[in-house]
Amino acid sequence: MTAPIALSCVTIDSADPRRLAEFYAALLDWRIMHSEDGYALITDGKSVLCFGFVEGHAAAPWPDNPTQPKRVHLDLNVADIDQATDLAVSLGATIPEFQPGLNPDWDNQLPWGIVLDPEGHPICLNLRE
């Protein structure tokens, strides 16, 4: 029998952890647990999202390219893509031109939109009924 393993948090590499923590805390309506120049954590009381400083960090481009594919991104469930997009933009996100999920071309797939956080990491806003 092996010892139990549980996820502690997901850490996103960042040029400015404090700024990203403020953005995601406001977007998700979570609270900031810890914030300093090198590391920041936010939580909803159950899950934790962390941001760690990496010198010279730049997010991978969106959409992917063969020389620099994205490493990780967040998928968020939303009741309304337009409202979630507007909120994210009001907090500092941008809307990329490439939006592959607004009109999905396969059966039973609900639409999703993409925004880029203030450092350029993609966030999928998945419509959930």
Side-chain angles (χ1 to χ4, degrees), residues 21-90:
E22 290 169 356
F23 169 81
Y24 281 100
L27 181 67
L28 297 169
D29 195 25
W30 287 17
R31 67 178 175 84
I32 296 174
M33 286 177 55
H34 175 81
S35 182
E36 60 183 49
D37 290 341
Y39 204 73
L41 295 85
I42 65 171
T43 186
D44 65 350
K46 296 177 279 185
S47 300
V48 178
L49 188 57
C50 306
F51 307 90
F53 176 74
V54 173
E55 183 75 37
H57 180 268
W62 174 260
D64 291 344
N65 71 47
T67 61
Q68 193 179 16
K70 68 181 175 296
R71 293 167 207 93
V72 66
H73 69 277
L74 299 179
D75 282 35
L76 304 177
N77 292 335
V78 301
D80 184 295
I81 293 172
D82 291 334
Q83 285 180 349
T85 298
D86 290 347
L87 173 60
V89 167
S90 76

